[in-house]
Amino acid sequence: MAAFSMTSMSASLSSVEVRLPRSRVSTARAAKFTLAPRNNVACMQSFTGMKTDSVLSLGVSTPETATIQNGTKWFAMRHRVKLPRLGRPADQRKALLRGLCTELLRHGRITTTTTRAKAMRPYVEHMITLAKGGTLHERRQALAYIYDKNLVHQIFEQVPERYGERKGGYTRIFQTLSRQGDNAPMSIIELV
């Protein structure tokens, strides 16, 4: 498999001028790539899969272009991702939320950080909604999530009479004093 090089690219594209930057060292560095506006003459038109407003061009430096240098690390932004990561990998985060949900359903009220309380709220409300339905399938779904089997049976007995008329909003979060060690914002989450 042949390696990609800028000279082979410039040879195949006659309409684009490629200039490698000169350095004091004899080895040549890679060229800088820039995103050019759509009316630029030096744009590579042979790539059909790219949008016309962000066509790749080489060696163009205008004030409105964004320069992308080789060797830099680019991280994608988490746009529209509302799930808080809680500083943990996915498996540890799911186990933490399951444990918090189990303890809240067992005790009715727990003290935790505000971020964790807001992250666990939809899971607790979903478990209560499953218990309101009371079917075998919903019971098995609750058993798959909540750690304590006896707790699931108690919830399925008590929830329909306690929250039968309520359409949602089974939990309440209110903030308390910050934690003394690291000043983390703390909250109390409780069942209504």
Side-chain angles (χ1 to χ4, degrees):
M1 185 169 150
F4 172 77
S5 68
M6 292 303 295
T7 54
S8 65
M9 186 172 169
S10 64
S12 63
L13 298 171
S14 59
S15 63
V16 177
E17 180 181 357
V18 178
R19 293 181 187 166
L20 294 174
R22 297 178 187 236
S23 64
R24 295 178 197 167
V25 185
S26 62
T27 59
R29 293 180 294 171
K32 294 182 179 179
F33 292 90
T34 59
L35 293 174
R38 114 177 31 168
N39 56 4
N40 197 336
V41 179
C43 293
M44 297 190 320
Q45 300 297 329
S46 62
F47 292 98
T48 57
M50 303 178 84
K51 293 181 182 178
T52 56
D53 56 346
S54 63
V55 178
L56 182 68
S57 68
L58 300 172
V60 180
S61 60
T62 58
E64 64 262 8
T65 61
T67 303
I68 302 172
Q69 297 178 354
N70 289 344
T72 17
K73 293 182 180 178
W74 293 89
F75 296 102
M77 295 184 189
R78 301 176 67 238
H79 293 297
R80 300 177 60 116
V81 179
K82 298 196 179 210
L83 175 74
R85 291 195 279 185
L86 301 176
R88 296 166 186 263
D91 57 342
Q92 294 177 18
R93 180 173 55 246
K94 289 173 190 172
L96 173 71
L97 292 174
R98 285 179 68 187
L100 287 171
C101 181
T102 302
E103 293 305 313
L104 177 62
L105 291 172
R106 177 179 291 131
H107 298 290
R109 169 189 275 206
I110 60 171
T111 303
T112 183
T113 61
T114 304
T115 308
R116 289 179 183 178
K118 289 180 180 179
M120 69 178 283
R121 174 185 258 177
Y123 297 103
V124 173
E125 298 204 357
H126 181 61
M127 291 301 116
I128 293 174
T129 304
L130 290 177
K132 278 175 65 175
T135 64
L136 179 62
H137 177 63
E138 290 168 333
R139 186 179 293 261
R140 286 179 176 163
Q141 283 181 316
L143 283 168
Y145 191 78
I146 297 174
Y147 286 127
D148 191 2
K149 182 178 179 179
N150 295 328
L151 179 64
V152 172
H153 297 310
Q154 290 176 2
I155 290 169
F156 272 74
E157 290 173 4
Q158 296 171 2
V159 162
E161 54 200 40
R162 183 173 175 181
Y163 299 112
E165 300 297 320
R166 199 172 187 85
K167 300 276 185 194
Y170 309 114
T171 57
R172 178 186 301 128
I173 297 175
F174 51 94
Q175 296 196 359
T176 61
L177 295 174
S178 297
R179 190 161 51 198
Q180 192 172 11
D182 58 353
N183 203 25
M186 299 296 285
S187 292
I188 295 176
I189 181 169
E190 65 180 8
L191 298 175
V192 176

Short mmCIF file of all heavy atoms in Angstrom, two decimals, residues 12-59:
data_model
loop_
_atom_site.label_atom_id
_atom_site.label_comp_id
_atom_site.label_asym_id
_atom_site.label_seq_id
_atom_site.Cartn_x
_atom_site.Cartn_y
_atom_site.Cartn_z
N SER A 12 -1.06 14.89 -9.15
CA SER A 12 -2.34 14.44 -9.68
C SER A 12 -3.32 15.58 -9.88
O SER A 12 -4.24 15.48 -10.68
CB SER A 12 -2.95 13.39 -8.74
OG SER A 12 -3.22 13.98 -7.50
N LEU A 13 -3.15 16.68 -9.17
CA LEU A 13 -4.05 17.82 -9.29
C LEU A 13 -3.28 18.98 -9.90
O LEU A 13 -2.53 19.67 -9.22
CB LEU A 13 -4.60 18.21 -7.92
CG LEU A 13 -5.44 17.15 -7.23
CD1 LEU A 13 -5.73 17.58 -5.82
CD2 LEU A 13 -6.72 16.92 -7.98
N SER A 14 -3.46 19.21 -11.18
CA SER A 14 -2.69 20.24 -11.85
C SER A 14 -3.22 21.63 -11.55
O SER A 14 -2.49 22.61 -11.65
CB SER A 14 -2.70 19.99 -13.35
OG SER A 14 -4.04 20.00 -13.81
N SER A 15 -4.50 21.77 -11.20
CA SER A 15 -5.07 23.09 -11.00
C SER A 15 -4.73 23.69 -9.64
O SER A 15 -4.94 24.87 -9.42
CB SER A 15 -6.59 23.04 -11.16
OG SER A 15 -7.12 22.22 -10.16
N VAL A 16 -4.20 22.90 -8.72
CA VAL A 16 -3.92 23.38 -7.38
C VAL A 16 -2.42 23.48 -7.18
O VAL A 16 -1.68 22.55 -7.47
CB VAL A 16 -4.53 22.42 -6.33
CG1 VAL A 16 -4.18 22.87 -4.94
CG2 VAL A 16 -6.02 22.33 -6.52
N GLU A 17 -1.99 24.60 -6.70
CA GLU A 17 -0.56 24.80 -6.45
C GLU A 17 -0.27 24.42 -5.01
O GLU A 17 -0.89 24.94 -4.08
CB GLU A 17 -0.20 26.26 -6.69
CG GLU A 17 1.25 26.56 -6.47
CD GLU A 17 1.55 28.02 -6.69
OE1 GLU A 17 0.64 28.76 -7.08
OE2 GLU A 17 2.70 28.40 -6.47
N VAL A 18 0.65 23.50 -4.80
CA VAL A 18 1.02 23.05 -3.47
C VAL A 18 2.46 23.48 -3.21
O VAL A 18 3.36 23.17 -3.98
CB VAL A 18 0.91 21.52 -3.34
CG1 VAL A 18 1.35 21.06 -1.98
CG2 VAL A 18 -0.50 21.08 -3.64
N ARG A 19 2.66 24.21 -2.12
CA ARG A 19 4.00 24.63 -1.74
C ARG A 19 4.30 24.07 -0.36
O ARG A 19 3.56 24.30 0.57
CB ARG A 19 4.09 26.15 -1.70
CG ARG A 19 3.95 26.78 -3.05
CD ARG A 19 4.06 28.26 -2.93
NE ARG A 19 3.75 28.88 -4.21
CZ ARG A 19 3.51 30.15 -4.37
NH1 ARG A 19 3.54 30.96 -3.33
NH2 ARG A 19 3.24 30.64 -5.55
N LEU A 20 5.36 23.34 -0.27
CA LEU A 20 5.78 22.82 1.01
C LEU A 20 6.61 23.89 1.71
O LEU A 20 7.46 24.53 1.07
CB LEU A 20 6.60 21.54 0.84
CG LEU A 20 5.84 20.35 0.30
CD1 LEU A 20 6.81 19.20 0.05
CD2 LEU A 20 4.76 19.93 1.26
N PRO A 21 6.41 24.12 2.99
CA PRO A 21 7.17 25.14 3.69
C PRO A 21 8.64 24.76 3.80
O PRO A 21 8.96 23.59 3.98
CB PRO A 21 6.50 25.23 5.06
CG PRO A 21 5.77 23.96 5.20
CD PRO A 21 5.42 23.49 3.83
N ARG A 22 9.51 25.72 3.70
CA ARG A 22 10.94 25.46 3.79
C ARG A 22 11.37 25.57 5.24
O ARG A 22 10.89 26.42 5.98
CB ARG A 22 11.71 26.45 2.94
CG ARG A 22 11.38 26.32 1.48
CD ARG A 22 12.12 27.35 0.69
NE ARG A 22 11.64 27.30 -0.69
CZ ARG A 22 12.43 27.11 -1.71
NH1 ARG A 22 13.71 26.97 -1.53
NH2 ARG A 22 11.94 27.07 -2.92
N SER A 23 12.26 24.72 5.62
CA SER A 23 12.76 24.75 7.00
C SER A 23 14.27 24.66 6.98
O SER A 23 14.88 24.35 5.97
CB SER A 23 12.16 23.61 7.82
OG SER A 23 12.60 22.39 7.29
N ARG A 24 14.89 24.91 8.12
CA ARG A 24 16.34 24.82 8.22
C ARG A 24 16.81 23.38 8.13
O ARG A 24 17.89 23.09 7.68
CB ARG A 24 16.81 25.43 9.54
CG ARG A 24 16.55 26.90 9.61
CD ARG A 24 16.97 27.44 10.94
NE ARG A 24 16.36 28.75 11.12
CZ ARG A 24 16.31 29.39 12.25
NH1 ARG A 24 16.84 28.85 13.33
NH2 ARG A 24 15.74 30.57 12.33
N VAL A 25 15.99 22.47 8.61
CA VAL A 25 16.31 21.05 8.55
C VAL A 25 15.98 20.55 7.15
O VAL A 25 15.06 21.03 6.51
CB VAL A 25 15.50 20.28 9.62
CG1 VAL A 25 15.91 18.83 9.67
CG2 VAL A 25 15.66 20.93 10.98
N SER A 26 16.70 19.56 6.70
CA SER A 26 16.52 19.10 5.33
C SER A 26 15.21 18.34 5.13
O SER A 26 14.74 18.20 4.01
CB SER A 26 17.70 18.21 4.92
OG SER A 26 17.74 17.07 5.75
N THR A 27 14.63 17.82 6.18
CA THR A 27 13.37 17.09 6.02
C THR A 27 12.23 18.08 5.85
O THR A 27 12.15 19.08 6.55
CB THR A 27 13.08 16.20 7.25
OG1 THR A 27 13.03 17.03 8.40
CG2 THR A 27 14.16 15.15 7.41
N ALA A 28 11.34 17.77 4.93
CA ALA A 28 10.22 18.67 4.65
C ALA A 28 9.09 18.38 5.62
O ALA A 28 8.80 17.23 5.94
CB ALA A 28 9.74 18.48 3.23
N ARG A 29 8.43 19.45 6.10
CA ARG A 29 7.27 19.30 6.97
C ARG A 29 6.01 19.18 6.13
O ARG A 29 6.01 19.52 4.94
CB ARG A 29 7.15 20.50 7.90
CG ARG A 29 8.27 20.60 8.91
CD ARG A 29 8.10 21.80 9.78
NE ARG A 29 8.25 23.00 8.95
CZ ARG A 29 7.99 24.22 9.36
NH1 ARG A 29 7.55 24.43 10.57
NH2 ARG A 29 8.15 25.26 8.57
N ALA A 30 4.94 18.75 6.74
CA ALA A 30 3.67 18.64 6.03
C ALA A 30 3.07 20.02 5.83
O ALA A 30 3.29 20.93 6.62
CB ALA A 30 2.70 17.77 6.82
N ALA A 31 2.31 20.19 4.76
CA ALA A 31 1.69 21.48 4.45
C ALA A 31 0.52 21.73 5.37
O ALA A 31 -0.07 20.82 5.93
CB ALA A 31 1.24 21.49 3.00
N LYS A 32 0.15 23.01 5.50
CA LYS A 32 -1.00 23.38 6.31
C LYS A 32 -2.25 23.33 5.45
O LYS A 32 -2.26 23.80 4.32
CB LYS A 32 -0.82 24.78 6.88
CG LYS A 32 0.31 24.88 7.87
CD LYS A 32 0.40 26.27 8.43
CE LYS A 32 1.52 26.35 9.44
NZ LYS A 32 1.66 27.69 9.98
N PHE A 33 -3.31 22.76 5.98
CA PHE A 33 -4.59 22.70 5.28
C PHE A 33 -5.48 23.79 5.84
O PHE A 33 -5.49 24.03 7.03
CB PHE A 33 -5.26 21.34 5.49
CG PHE A 33 -4.54 20.22 4.82
CD1 PHE A 33 -3.56 19.53 5.50
CD2 PHE A 33 -4.84 19.87 3.52
CE1 PHE A 33 -2.89 18.50 4.90
CE2 PHE A 33 -4.17 18.84 2.92
CZ PHE A 33 -3.20 18.14 3.60
N THR A 34 -6.25 24.43 4.99
CA THR A 34 -7.19 25.45 5.44
C THR A 34 -8.55 25.21 4.83
O THR A 34 -8.65 24.60 3.76
CB THR A 34 -6.71 26.86 5.05
OG1 THR A 34 -6.59 26.91 3.63
CG2 THR A 34 -5.40 27.20 5.70
N LEU A 35 -9.56 25.66 5.52
CA LEU A 35 -10.91 25.63 4.99
C LEU A 35 -11.16 26.96 4.29
O LEU A 35 -11.03 28.01 4.89
CB LEU A 35 -11.94 25.42 6.10
CG LEU A 35 -11.89 24.07 6.78
CD1 LEU A 35 -12.85 24.06 7.96
CD2 LEU A 35 -12.26 22.99 5.81
N ALA A 36 -11.49 26.90 3.01
CA ALA A 36 -11.63 28.12 2.23
C ALA A 36 -13.10 28.39 1.94
O ALA A 36 -13.91 27.48 1.93
CB ALA A 36 -10.87 27.97 0.91
N PRO A 37 -13.44 29.67 1.70
CA PRO A 37 -14.81 29.97 1.33
C PRO A 37 -15.13 29.44 -0.07
O PRO A 37 -14.25 29.04 -0.81
CB PRO A 37 -14.86 31.50 1.37
CG PRO A 37 -13.45 31.93 1.26
CD PRO A 37 -12.62 30.86 1.87
N ARG A 38 -16.39 29.45 -0.42
CA ARG A 38 -16.83 28.78 -1.64
C ARG A 38 -16.38 29.50 -2.91
O ARG A 38 -16.27 28.90 -3.95
CB ARG A 38 -18.33 28.58 -1.55
CG ARG A 38 -19.17 29.30 -2.47
CD ARG A 38 -20.63 29.01 -2.40
NE ARG A 38 -21.10 28.65 -1.09
CZ ARG A 38 -22.35 28.57 -0.76
NH1 ARG A 38 -23.27 28.83 -1.63
NH2 ARG A 38 -22.72 28.21 0.42
N ASN A 39 -16.08 30.80 -2.86
CA ASN A 39 -15.71 31.52 -4.07
C ASN A 39 -14.20 31.52 -4.32
O ASN A 39 -13.73 32.26 -5.16
CB ASN A 39 -16.23 32.96 -4.01
CG ASN A 39 -15.74 33.69 -2.78
OD1 ASN A 39 -14.95 33.14 -2.02
ND2 ASN A 39 -16.20 34.91 -2.59
N ASN A 40 -13.43 30.70 -3.63
CA ASN A 40 -11.98 30.66 -3.79
C ASN A 40 -11.63 29.89 -5.06
O ASN A 40 -12.17 28.83 -5.34
CB ASN A 40 -11.35 29.99 -2.58
CG ASN A 40 -9.87 30.28 -2.50
OD1 ASN A 40 -9.24 30.57 -3.51
ND2 ASN A 40 -9.33 30.21 -1.30
N VAL A 41 -10.65 30.40 -5.83
CA VAL A 41 -10.28 29.79 -7.09
C VAL A 41 -9.44 28.55 -6.87
O VAL A 41 -9.50 27.60 -7.66
CB VAL A 41 -9.51 30.82 -7.95
CG1 VAL A 41 -9.08 30.23 -9.27
CG2 VAL A 41 -10.36 32.05 -8.16
N ALA A 42 -8.64 28.51 -5.81
CA ALA A 42 -7.70 27.42 -5.60
C ALA A 42 -8.33 26.22 -4.92
O ALA A 42 -7.64 25.36 -4.42
CB ALA A 42 -6.53 27.92 -4.76
N CYS A 43 -9.63 26.13 -4.89
CA CYS A 43 -10.30 25.02 -4.23
C CYS A 43 -10.20 23.77 -5.08
O CYS A 43 -10.20 23.81 -6.29
CB CYS A 43 -11.78 25.34 -3.99
SG CYS A 43 -12.00 26.65 -2.82
N MET A 44 -10.12 22.65 -4.40
CA MET A 44 -10.07 21.38 -5.12
C MET A 44 -11.49 20.96 -5.43
O MET A 44 -12.23 20.57 -4.55
CB MET A 44 -9.36 20.33 -4.26
CG MET A 44 -7.94 20.69 -3.99
SD MET A 44 -6.95 19.39 -3.24
CE MET A 44 -8.03 18.66 -2.08
N GLN A 45 -11.87 21.01 -6.67
CA GLN A 45 -13.24 20.69 -7.08
C GLN A 45 -13.42 19.21 -7.39
O GLN A 45 -14.51 18.77 -7.69
CB GLN A 45 -13.61 21.53 -8.31
CG GLN A 45 -13.54 23.03 -8.08
CD GLN A 45 -14.54 23.48 -7.04
OE1 GLN A 45 -15.61 22.90 -6.90
NE2 GLN A 45 -14.19 24.53 -6.30
N SER A 46 -12.35 18.42 -7.35
CA SER A 46 -12.47 17.01 -7.72
C SER A 46 -13.12 16.17 -6.64
O SER A 46 -13.61 15.09 -6.92
CB SER A 46 -11.09 16.43 -8.04
OG SER A 46 -10.28 16.51 -6.89
N PHE A 47 -13.16 16.67 -5.39
CA PHE A 47 -13.80 15.93 -4.32
C PHE A 47 -15.29 16.25 -4.35
O PHE A 47 -15.71 17.34 -4.03
CB PHE A 47 -13.21 16.32 -2.96
CG PHE A 47 -11.79 15.87 -2.79
CD1 PHE A 47 -10.75 16.74 -3.03
CD2 PHE A 47 -11.51 14.58 -2.41
CE1 PHE A 47 -9.45 16.34 -2.88
CE2 PHE A 47 -10.21 14.17 -2.25
CZ PHE A 47 -9.17 15.04 -2.49
N THR A 48 -16.11 15.26 -4.72
CA THR A 48 -17.54 15.51 -4.87
C THR A 48 -18.30 15.33 -3.56
O THR A 48 -19.41 15.82 -3.43
CB THR A 48 -18.14 14.55 -5.91
OG1 THR A 48 -17.86 13.21 -5.50
CG2 THR A 48 -17.55 14.82 -7.28
N GLY A 49 -17.72 14.63 -2.59
CA GLY A 49 -18.44 14.37 -1.35
C GLY A 49 -18.43 15.52 -0.37
O GLY A 49 -19.12 15.48 0.63
N MET A 50 -17.67 16.56 -0.64
CA MET A 50 -17.57 17.66 0.31
C MET A 50 -18.58 18.75 -0.01
O MET A 50 -18.95 18.95 -1.16
CB MET A 50 -16.16 18.23 0.28
CG MET A 50 -15.10 17.19 0.58
SD MET A 50 -13.47 17.88 0.49
CE MET A 50 -13.35 18.55 2.10
N LYS A 51 -19.00 19.46 1.01
CA LYS A 51 -19.92 20.57 0.80
C LYS A 51 -19.18 21.70 0.08
O LYS A 51 -17.97 21.86 0.22
CB LYS A 51 -20.43 21.10 2.13
CG LYS A 51 -21.31 20.14 2.87
CD LYS A 51 -21.77 20.78 4.14
CE LYS A 51 -22.63 19.84 4.93
NZ LYS A 51 -23.04 20.42 6.20
N THR A 52 -19.92 22.50 -0.66
CA THR A 52 -19.28 23.57 -1.41
C THR A 52 -18.87 24.72 -0.53
O THR A 52 -17.98 25.47 -0.88
CB THR A 52 -20.24 24.10 -2.50
OG1 THR A 52 -21.45 24.52 -1.87
CG2 THR A 52 -20.53 23.03 -3.52
N ASP A 53 -19.47 24.88 0.65
CA ASP A 53 -19.10 26.01 1.49
C ASP A 53 -17.90 25.71 2.37
O ASP A 53 -17.37 26.59 3.00
CB ASP A 53 -20.28 26.46 2.35
CG ASP A 53 -20.83 25.34 3.20
OD1 ASP A 53 -20.50 24.18 2.94
OD2 ASP A 53 -21.60 25.64 4.11
N SER A 54 -17.46 24.45 2.45
CA SER A 54 -16.28 24.13 3.23
C SER A 54 -15.35 23.22 2.44
O SER A 54 -14.99 22.16 2.89
CB SER A 54 -16.68 23.47 4.55
OG SER A 54 -17.32 22.26 4.28
N VAL A 55 -14.97 23.65 1.26
CA VAL A 55 -14.12 22.85 0.39
C VAL A 55 -12.69 22.97 0.88
O VAL A 55 -12.24 24.02 1.30
CB VAL A 55 -14.26 23.34 -1.07
CG1 VAL A 55 -13.35 22.56 -1.98
CG2 VAL A 55 -15.69 23.20 -1.51
N LEU A 56 -11.94 21.86 0.77
CA LEU A 56 -10.56 21.83 1.22
C LEU A 56 -9.66 22.52 0.22
O LEU A 56 -9.74 22.26 -0.97
CB LEU A 56 -10.14 20.37 1.39
CG LEU A 56 -8.74 20.10 1.91
CD1 LEU A 56 -8.69 20.55 3.36
CD2 LEU A 56 -8.43 18.64 1.80
N SER A 57 -8.84 23.42 0.68
CA SER A 57 -7.88 24.07 -0.20
C SER A 57 -6.52 24.01 0.44
O SER A 57 -6.39 23.77 1.64
CB SER A 57 -8.28 25.52 -0.47
OG SER A 57 -8.16 26.26 0.71
N LEU A 58 -5.49 24.23 -0.35
CA LEU A 58 -4.13 24.11 0.13
C LEU A 58 -3.41 25.43 -0.04
O LEU A 58 -3.49 26.07 -1.08
CB LEU A 58 -3.39 23.03 -0.66
CG LEU A 58 -4.01 21.64 -0.57
CD1 LEU A 58 -3.31 20.71 -1.53
CD2 LEU A 58 -3.91 21.10 0.82
N GLY A 59 -2.66 25.84 0.97
CA GLY A 59 -1.79 27.00 0.87
C GLY A 59 -2.49 28.33 0.79
O GLY A 59 -1.89 29.31 0.40
#
